[in-house]
Structure formats: C-alpha cells, structure tokens
Amino acid sequence: MKRISTFIMVLACTFASAQTIDDVLRYSSENLQGTARFQAMGGAFGALGGDLSALNINPAGSAVFNFSEIGITVSNYHTSNDALFGNTLTNTTSNSLDFNQVGGVFVFNSSNDGPWKKIALAFNYDMVQNFDNEFIASGNTSIGVDNYFLNFAQGEPLGPLRTQEGEFIEDAYLDIGANLGYSAQQAFLGFQAGIIEPVDDNDQNTSYFSNAQYANVNQRYLQNTSGYNSKFTLNFAGQYEDNLYLGATVNFHNVLYDRISYLDEDGYDAESPVQFTSFDNFLHTEGYGFSFSLGAIAKLNQSIRVGGSYQSPTWYTLTDDTSQRINSNLAVPDIDFINFGIVNLYDEYRIKTPEKFTGSVALVFGQDGLISLDYSYQDMSKAELRPTSDPSFTAENDFIASTLGAVNSYRLGGEYRIEEVSLRAGYRFEESPYADSDFVGDLNGFSAGIGYNFGASRLDLAYSRTEQDVNSYFFDGGINSAALINRINTNIALGYTLKF
C-alpha cells in the first residue's frame, strides 16, 4: 500500500518547535547590514542621519537629507566557522549573495517662514539578519545520543511506544506527538530504532536502559541554517528651526528560518548491540512582527550633534513545523517511513523582544569629514515567549530572566573626504546577551569602505568583519552536547544612491 505524508496539529510540546531561549536571541539580535556607507562606518549614525539605514538607529535621520534620493545595496556574506568538538577542530565556510537594502526618501522643503523647515517621508527595506550558515562538528565524546532518548523516555509508559496491529509507524509517531507530547514522541523514536530498551517488557514499564555500550563514541554533526529576518520601515521626520530634527518609524518584520541537522554516531564497543546511529532533525519557522521607534537629533553648534532614540519591543507572531528521521542497525524494518515528509505542525506562538535605547554624539568637520559614536542599551532578561499562561513558556521565561542580562553596544565610525572621494572606517563592540559569557562571547567587529560622489549619484563599497565565540548545542533539549564555535562573518557590500 502506498503511504502518504501525514500532517497533524501537535499541541502538547514546545521543545520540538524550538520555542526556547535560542529563538528569543535569534530574533532579538540584528546583525549589521544596511547600506554600504552605513556598514563601512560601523553603523554609527545615531547623531548623523542622512542615510537610509540610519533610520534603524534614529528615525529623525531622514530629516537631515537635503535632497530626495533612492538607494540599493547588494552584499556578499561569507561565514567561517571553526568548531571545536572533543579534541577536533573543524572549519566550515559558506557564502551567499543578496540584495539586502532598498529604499528611498522624499524631502519637502517648507515654502513659508514657519518654524518647520522641511519634512521627510521615507521607506526602507533592510535584511537585519541573514541566517545562511553551516558548520560541521566532528570528534570523540563520552555523551552518546542514547542519552538523549533515555532522558525523554524515563517515566514514559511502554504501551504507547509500541505500534498497534495494522498501524503504520509514521501514524503512530504523529499520534503520540499530538496526544502524549514531545517526550513520548522522542522515546518512541529511540525505542523503535532499538537504541533504548525497557527494563520490563510490559505495557506499564516506565524505566529504560541503553543498547549502546561505549566509553567514547565518534560523532559527526552537520547543521545548516537558511532564511532571513527582514524589516520594512515607514518613516516620517521633520526639521524644526535650524537645529532640531524629530522623527518616528513603524517597522514591519518578516521571518523565515530553516534549520536542518544531521548526526551520525559510531565507534561503540565491539560487543555493543548498537553499532551505528543516525538522527536527523528539520525545523521550519515563519512569521511576522511589528515595532516602532522615536528619535531626535540636535545640532549644538556647527560641529557637535547629539542624538537619542527609543526602539520599542518587537512583537513577533511565529509558527513552527518539524520533521525527524532516525536509523540504527537495530531499528525496525519500516523505520524509514518516519522521514522529512512526516511533518509535525504547531500552534502559533509569540515572542516579545526587549526595547532598546540609543544615545549618540558626532563631530562634523565641515566638508572634510566626521566622527560618530553610538551607545545602545537593551535588557535581554525582559524578553518573553508568549502566551505567558503556557506552563512551558512560564518556565522558559523564568530561565530567560535568570540567564540573560543587559547588552551594552558601542559603534564608532569616521569618514574623511578628499574632493569626491570618501574614505570610511568603523568599529563595533557588543556584549554577550548572557550573564555568563561562556555560552556566547562578546562580539567584536571592524569595517572600512570607500565612496565616490558623482554629483547626482554616489557609489559606495564596504568591507565589514565580526568575530564571536558561540556554544552551539546539537539539540534544543535532552542533552547538552555542544560545539564551541569561533564564528567570523565577513560582508562585502556595494551600494548605489541616486538623488533627484
């Protein structure tokens, strides 16, 4: 009989849909993207404005424009991951090319002698996070994947883990997930794959042992992610008198995230019943979000500008679906019918990311150049998974509040002009969102760029590089297997701006 993929709503578990602290961090952080000029100067535009991507920092910046203009930027993203697992270091690189920014601003100068000198209307699309990434971790460990299944299986009755007469194994897998939850579903996988066995062979048994015997095992883990978090901004700003700029934006976010992982394990003892195991997982997330921001820029004199802005929380609405597959030399014959075509669907959930405050100062040296500094503060412990009435979210939110802390970010940028040529450089430092930076380290980055002004248009080129150490866990729960990754992101951006 031909089997078809079955889709069923799973209501009972959050772990499988990755609704954890990792999601909060993934959608709370914004990697430095934007126009080439913005990237070259490290994103330090809070007191400057006059750049379409500067609207992400301070919405008053559109009123600084003297002319209407449109701009587009394309970037090449290169990621290098050095993954340390066991005593083995494995390097993986990946590349992608995207149009990461497009936008425009329309400037309307006042025709009367009132205090409002001009107003500006702007729109801008920015890819604030590119999820394209891949790493391989390969090494020797004393924590085999059998511990993952034992962790979920202990306390689960054996009866539901058996397939019933005439029942397809994939239908049993989905039914257990829908009615008994994620722990029982993972126990079912481990039992059907022969990795774990019941202590007593009766339906009331709730204790299990491993069929894998080893002191250490060899593991090879590959994780590939793709997708984006984009932001479409609508902006309104105005210039009051000669020295004050005020602005506001509304932001519409769009999220698409895919993560696929492959785990292969061998190297068991010669007498071990289990001799190889493979376990693969796929997560698909999509959704949308909303946020707003307010800001002001003041010219204290001809040289000094200061700025301040408030970025609201972002309210995301997301949905997940997951698929899994597993195999071993002891697996039941039809185990392959549990595959990536068998999909668990989950209820919609929400994430509220914390608000952010930014203060900025800039020194402008006439037509010769400028130096700009931004400082941002965001308290990550205030992030939430919602609805908060969900017991699993309550526990995870308590964990977030106790694990995450305040993030202080600094961006420094400069520009030096030689006639039509602009030379730029920037530096960026962002603290770890964790109170204990052993989980995720601080981020350091530097950038440089060059631009040429043709009069009615401008061409900009930028190079930026960030480096950060990250503990990347193989699973969202069950066991704490992780690789320590030194991640280096390198962007090369080319932008074109046209005035009109």
Side-chain angles (χ1 to χ4, degrees):
M1 179 181 294
K2 181 180 180 181
R3 301 189 182 186
I4 61 174
S5 299
T6 305
F7 298 81
I8 189 167
M9 185 66 70
V10 178
L11 303 176
C13 142
T14 61
F15 270 116
S17 55
Q19 297 157 17
T20 67
I21 190 173
D22 292 335
D23 292 84
V24 168
L25 293 175
R26 184 182 307 121
Y27 305 123
S28 296
S29 62
E30 295 185 356
N31 194 15
L32 188 65
Q33 308 288 331
T35 68
R37 183 176 181 232
F38 183 84
Q39 292 189 49
M41 292 176 57
F45 271 85
L48 291 175
D51 184 277
L52 287 166
S53 291
L55 305 182
N56 292 324
I57 307 298
N58 191 333
S62 62
V64 177
F65 283 93
N66 291 319
F67 303 96
S68 299
E69 67 177 55
I70 57 174
I72 188 169
T73 305
V74 61
S75 291
N76 178 75
Y77 304 95
H78 176 83
T79 302
S80 175
N81 292 305
D82 283 330
L84 179 63
F85 181 61
N87 293 318
T88 304
L89 186 68
T90 306
N91 176 263
T92 314
T93 61
S94 57
N95 279 283
S96 62
L97 183 69
D98 277 302
F99 284 99
N100 66 285
Q101 179 274 328
V102 61
V105 59
F106 303 92
V107 179
F108 303 93
N109 292 300
S110 175
S111 58
N112 56 50
D113 295 328
W116 292 99
K117 303 302 181 182
K118 61 182 172 182
I119 62 172
L121 302 176
F123 70 92
N124 192 54
Y125 166 88
D126 261 324
M127 184 185 294
V128 297
Q129 188 72 277
N130 182 347
F131 295 129
D132 293 353
N133 189 32
E134 181 175 285
F135 76 88
I136 296 173
S138 181
N140 196 260
T141 178
S142 61
I143 305 175
V145 73
D146 58 320
N147 289 282
Y148 171 87
F149 297 105
L150 286 173
N151 180 278
F152 288 114
Q154 302 299 359
E156 295 288 343
L158 175 61
L161 305 187
R162 305 181 194 269
T163 55
Q164 305 303 307
E165 184 176 353
E167 183 182 33
F168 290 141
I169 190 172
E170 62 271 32
D171 292 335
Y173 165 78
L174 289 169
D175 183 66
I176 289 171
N179 296 294
L180 300 181
Y182 185 66
S183 291
Q185 191 180 55
Q186 301 312 290
F188 175 81
L189 286 177
F191 175 64
Q192 294 294 328
I195 298 169
I196 59 174
E197 289 289 344
V199 173
D200 296 313
D201 192 25
N202 61 72
D203 288 351
Q204 289 71 44
N205 172 81
T206 58
S207 297
Y208 300 83
F209 65 92
S210 173
N211 271 329
Q213 299 175 18
Y214 57 88
N216 290 281
V217 290
N218 302 316
Q219 288 185 345
R220 177 180 170 85
Y221 178 85
L222 184 151
Q223 183 185 103
N224 180 284
T225 59
S226 60
Y228 55 84
N229 183 0
S230 66
K231 179 193 292 184
F232 180 75
T233 296
L234 294 176
N235 168 266
F236 174 82
Q239 179 183 347
Y240 185 81
E241 297 292 356
D242 293 326
N243 300 319
L244 181 63
Y245 306 86
L246 302 171
T249 64
V250 290
N251 307 300
F252 304 92
H253 304 252
N254 191 38
V255 171
L256 178 65
Y257 177 75
D258 286 331
R259 183 185 69 204
I260 187 169
S261 65
Y262 306 92
L263 176 70
D264 293 314
E265 182 178 281
D266 58 22
Y268 304 98
D269 295 344
E271 64 274 15
S272 172
V274 174
Q275 285 298 309
F276 80 88
T277 303
S278 64
F279 184 41
D280 306 329
N281 288 267
F282 177 76
L283 166 68
H284 172 79
T285 302
E286 59 183 71
Y288 57 91
F290 173 80
S291 65
F292 67 89
S293 57
L294 306 170
I297 297 173
K299 290 183 179 180
L300 302 186
N301 54 44
Q302 287 298 105
S303 299
I304 302 176
R305 299 182 185 183
V306 295
S309 63
Y310 167 80
Q311 181 176 314
S312 78
T314 302
W315 295 273
Y316 287 104
T317 300
L318 303 165
T319 56
D320 290 350
D321 63 72
T322 65
S323 302
Q324 299 178 290
R325 60 189 183 196
I326 190 170
N327 211 339
S328 83
N329 58 293
L330 294 182
V332 296
D334 55 354
I335 195 71
D336 288 340
F337 286 104
I338 300 176
N339 54 49
F340 286 166
I342 307 301
V343 180
N344 300 288
L345 301 180
Y346 292 85
D347 274 346
E348 188 177 83
Y349 64 99
R350 300 187 300 277
I351 290 177
K352 176 190 173 185
T353 70
E355 59 194 3
K356 181 186 290 187
F357 301 90
T358 300
S360 311
V361 61
L363 297 177
V364 180
F365 308 108
Q367 297 298 315
D368 295 327
L370 54 89
I371 297 175
S372 180
L373 174 66
D374 288 357
Y375 164 75
S376 296
Y377 175 89
Q378 186 177 31
D379 187 355
M380 289 302 301
S381 67
K382 294 182 178 180
E384 288 183 341
L385 286 158
R386 295 183 172 185
T388 54
S389 58
D390 188 313
S392 59
F393 287 168
T394 299
E396 192 68 13
N397 286 335
D398 289 342
F399 178 67
I400 289 170
S402 62
T403 304
L404 301 183
V407 175
N408 296 288
S409 302
Y410 306 86
R411 296 182 297 274
L412 177 66
E415 182 176 60
Y416 180 66
R417 302 187 186 103
I418 308 171
E419 296 182 350
E420 282 74 31
V421 177
S422 296
L423 304 177
R424 306 175 182 120
Y427 173 75
R428 176 188 178 196
F429 174 80
E430 184 175 301
E431 290 181 344
S432 168
Y434 283 90
D436 181 356
S437 59
D438 288 342
F439 291 99
V440 174
D442 298 333
L443 182 145
N444 280 276
F446 64 84
S447 53
I450 187 171
Y452 190 88
N453 192 339
F454 296 95
S457 62
R458 190 180 73 241
L459 191 65
D460 299 305
L461 181 67
Y463 168 88
S464 62
R465 179 188 186 274
T466 61
E467 183 172 0
Q468 188 174 34
D469 291 331
V470 179
N471 265 302
S472 186
Y473 289 87
F474 294 176
F475 304 103
D476 291 320
I479 56 176
N480 291 328
S481 295
L484 176 61
I485 298 177
N486 175 252
R487 179 164 298 152
I488 297 175
N489 290 317
T490 303
N491 294 354
I492 298 176
L494 180 65
Y496 179 74
T497 301
L498 176 66
K499 298 178 184 179
F500 59 94

